[in-house]
Every structure is written in structure tokens, then in C-alpha cells.
Amino acid sequence: LHVVYLEYDTINVYMAQQPFTELRAIHINAMKYPTDMSSCSISNCLYVADDGSGCVWRVNTYNTVDKWLQVTGALSLSVTLEGQVVLLILTEVQGSEDSRTYRGRVEVYNAAGLKLSVIKLPNNIINPYSVIQSANKTFIISHGASWTEQQRVVEVNNEGKIIASFGGSRGSGLGQLNGPMYNVFDSEERVLVADCDNHRVLLLNRQLDTQLRVLINWNNNVVPWSLCYDNETAQLMVGVYGKSNTV
């Protein structure tokens, strides 16, 4: 289990099973602001998006590190079953930090760092946060901040068209979201969503038209920020904002 923290140059490493024994950390001296990371079983490596340094780092076997890709504005990173790297890139950034709005595009790369495709997201996807690619090559994207009205998880095809969505106006009721910060698939390709400002994790069906259940519901002191689902163990790890650990 690998864990990064914003504004830190260290990747903490733990055994993935309880009691989660801490192992030797990985230091990347030039890493400034890691925003996301994902492992690749095909290339046997770890990719880390670092918006502060304007690049994606690759941690290889024996923890050797190289600057794999030079890219600006990478907010979200995921890896497909085929070993391709999917990036969510910020565009059209406006406003101050506490009321910032932006749009985005999705870029897909092969393991050699060759850009395979670019998908411009429609203008009504405001403040996208997380992207994953489905088995049928569409993209699941969460978007919406506390100062924007639209809070959704959407499915976008290769032409950038929204073909399915969950959510709408900001709220905490059935079918509503408030700060959908992160999304991952489970082993059945159902969608897990870190509903940040509602302090919960939701399980949605693959079609994004049904909320199956509230998987985790915390009090106002716990803010789910990122998710990692292990298909082999059916174990979900939740990164919590402002905390020094995962849940």
C-alpha cells in the first residue's frame, strides 16, 4: 500500500493487510505537489502525478525513480487493465483558490509515454476531479466543488459526449452529491464515489442511474478524499483529508 500527501516528497509504504506494517519509504527529492497515483501490474511500476513539478514520476522495481512524463496540470491519474495511463488535465483555470473554477481534458498514454488520445470535456463539466476508464473505453469522471451547483459523476465517450450521469444539484439526499472527489471501480465495475462534503462513500451501479447503498457514512469530522479498491481482497482503502492515515 502506497500513500502520498500533498506538498510532501515522500511515498509512505505499508503492507496491504492488517496490521499494515510500515515499510521503507520512497523519497523523490524533486516531488513538490503529488495529486494522485496508481500502480501498473503490467509494467510493475507506480505512477505519481505531480502538479507542483509539472510531471508524472515513475517508480520502478527496487524503487528506482524517473521523470516519466513532462505535463502541466495533471490532477488525476489512473491506469487501465492494458497498462495505459489516463490523466485528467486542468484547463481554463479561473478565480482564487477558494472559488476556483476550471474545465478539463483527458489524455491517454502508453507505457512508453506516447500520447494515444486526447478527449476535451464539455464545458458543463465544471471542476472535474477524478477520471477512470471503463472496460468499454469510456471515462467515468467526478466533478463539482462546494461553490459550484452541479455535483455529478458522469460517463463520457471518446468524443467527449456525456452518455450517462448521476447527481445534479448539490445536496445530501438520495441521488445527490456534495463534492464528489474521487471514484474507482469495484470488481464488478460498479462505481465507488468519495462524496467528500457529505462525509460518505457511495456505491453506484455501472449505468450510473441507481445509488445502490451508502457504503460508509461518517460524522462531520471525517472527509473522504481518495479511494483505492483491491480486486484480489475486495478491500477498499479510503484516504481521509487532514488525517495522517487511511481508513
Side-chain angles (χ1 to χ4, degrees):
L1 176 65
H2 296 80
V3 180
V4 292
Y5 302 93
L6 295 175
E7 301 181 16
Y8 280 77
D9 63 357
T10 301
I11 302 173
N12 289 347
V13 185
Y14 305 86
M15 295 297 293
Q17 302 298 324
Q18 293 185 3
F20 305 112
T21 303
E22 186 169 3
L23 305 175
R24 184 178 179 180
I26 303 168
H27 296 280
I28 304 177
N29 292 332
M31 187 166 68
K32 297 178 181 179
Y33 197 86
T35 53
D36 201 2
M37 67 177 175
S38 186
S39 62
C40 178
S41 59
I42 295 176
S43 300
N44 195 24
C45 69
L46 181 72
Y47 295 100
V48 185
D50 178 8
D51 189 35
S53 297
C55 71
V56 174
W57 302 98
R58 180 173 57 188
V59 182
N60 301 293
T61 308
Y62 306 116
N63 294 342
T64 59
V65 179
D66 65 83
K67 186 178 287 188
W68 177 72
L69 183 71
Q70 198 77 34
V71 62
T72 302
L75 180 62
S76 173
L77 182 153
S78 57
V79 177
T80 70
L81 295 175
E82 297 81 13
Q84 296 175 352
V85 177
V86 181
L87 297 177
L88 174 62
I89 307 296
L90 274 60
T91 64
E92 303 177 43
V93 180
Q94 299 178 357
S96 60
E97 185 67 27
D98 58 353
S99 61
R100 184 176 64 169
T101 62
Y102 56 87
R103 304 304 192 272
R105 67 177 183 270
V106 174
E107 297 182 354
V108 182
Y109 295 83
N110 66 12
L114 177 65
K115 188 184 296 184
L116 303 177
S117 60
V118 177
I119 299 92
K120 183 182 183 301
L121 301 179
N123 287 333
N124 62 348
I125 296 182
I126 303 173
N127 288 42
Y129 282 114
S130 178
V131 62
I132 50 178
Q133 188 182 62
S134 69
N136 61 0
K137 310 305 181 186
T138 60
F139 301 93
I140 307 298
I141 298 167
S142 60
H143 79 97
S146 59
W147 51 87
T148 61
E149 181 58 27
Q150 285 287 308
Q151 312 277 320
R152 298 184 298 175
V153 175
V154 299
E155 182 175 11
V156 174
N157 64 16
N158 282 317
E159 298 176 350
K161 180 181 178 182
I162 297 175
I163 58 176
S165 69
F166 177 88
S169 61
R170 182 174 59 250
S172 59
L174 183 65
Q176 290 184 302
L177 298 165
N178 190 5
M181 185 60 61
Y182 210 90
N183 45 260
V184 295
F185 291 123
D186 71 1
S187 57
E188 300 176 32
E189 213 177 50
R190 298 176 299 184
V191 181
L192 296 152
V193 183
D195 192 11
C196 173
D197 292 328
N198 280 330
H199 313 280
R200 63 189 184 185
V201 177
L202 301 182
L203 178 64
L204 311 180
N205 70 344
R206 175 59 186 85
Q207 294 75 28
L208 299 182
D209 59 14
T210 303
Q211 176 180 311
L212 298 177
R213 66 177 67 97
V214 178
L215 200 62
I216 306 171
N217 198 359
W218 283 295
N219 59 37
N220 291 341
N221 295 322
V222 179
V223 180
W225 196 259
S226 60
L227 304 173
C228 177
Y229 185 84
D230 188 332
N231 284 316
E232 293 184 4
T233 64
Q235 184 170 256
L236 177 67
M237 298 289 184
V238 183
V240 176
Y241 182 78
K243 302 289 183 181
S244 59
N245 55 13
T246 54
V247 176

